Amino acid sequence: MRQAVLAYQQSGLRLFVYAKLVGCYEDSVELIIQAPLMYPMFTTEGERLCVEPSFYIAAFAVPAELVPVDVDIRCEPGPITCPKWRGHARGRGD
């Protein structure tokens, strides 16, 4: 994953990686930014039989000006289950 995001590590872009997202046969995910929250949401349409959920990793490169300073990075209220770390977009040494 680290190697995959290297090309996006540039001035003016914020990188967000969500690991251990749980879903079933997902093929796309989008990042919802609705201050004060930011969260990933699967966009795969249609019902699917899910015998055993799969884990996904989603990485987003977002123009810095689109990320509010006090946005709360989380997985809710989207339908995705992921670790419960909550913090601010600029709160971890950014």
Side-chain angles (χ1 to χ4, degrees):
M1 188 65 188
R2 288 180 193 205
Q3 196 67 24
V5 300
L6 282 178
Y8 298 98
Q9 290 181 333
Q10 53 188 285
S11 180
L13 283 181
R14 301 290 313 278
L15 300 178
F16 298 95
V17 177
Y18 290 84
K20 297 184 181 179
L21 304 178
V22 179
C24 292
Y25 309 107
E26 306 297 340
D27 59 16
S28 63
V29 63
E30 65 182 14
L31 185 62
I32 306 298
I33 302 174
Q34 294 176 336
L37 304 178
M38 180 170 71
Y39 57 92
M41 180 181 291
F42 288 124
T43 58
T44 306
E45 294 184 17
E47 293 188 24
R48 298 166 304 282
L49 176 61
C50 185
V51 177
E52 184 174 330
S54 298
F55 291 97
Y56 296 86
I57 294 175
F60 302 94
V62 182
E65 66 270 7
L66 297 180
V67 182
V69 173
D70 60 349
V71 73
D72 189 3
I73 303 168
R74 61 167 68 193
C75 298
E76 301 162 346
I80 293 176
T81 301
C82 64
K84 296 298 181 193
W85 182 84
R86 287 179 55 193
H88 294 289
R90 302 196 196 296
R92 299 190 72 184
D94 296 346

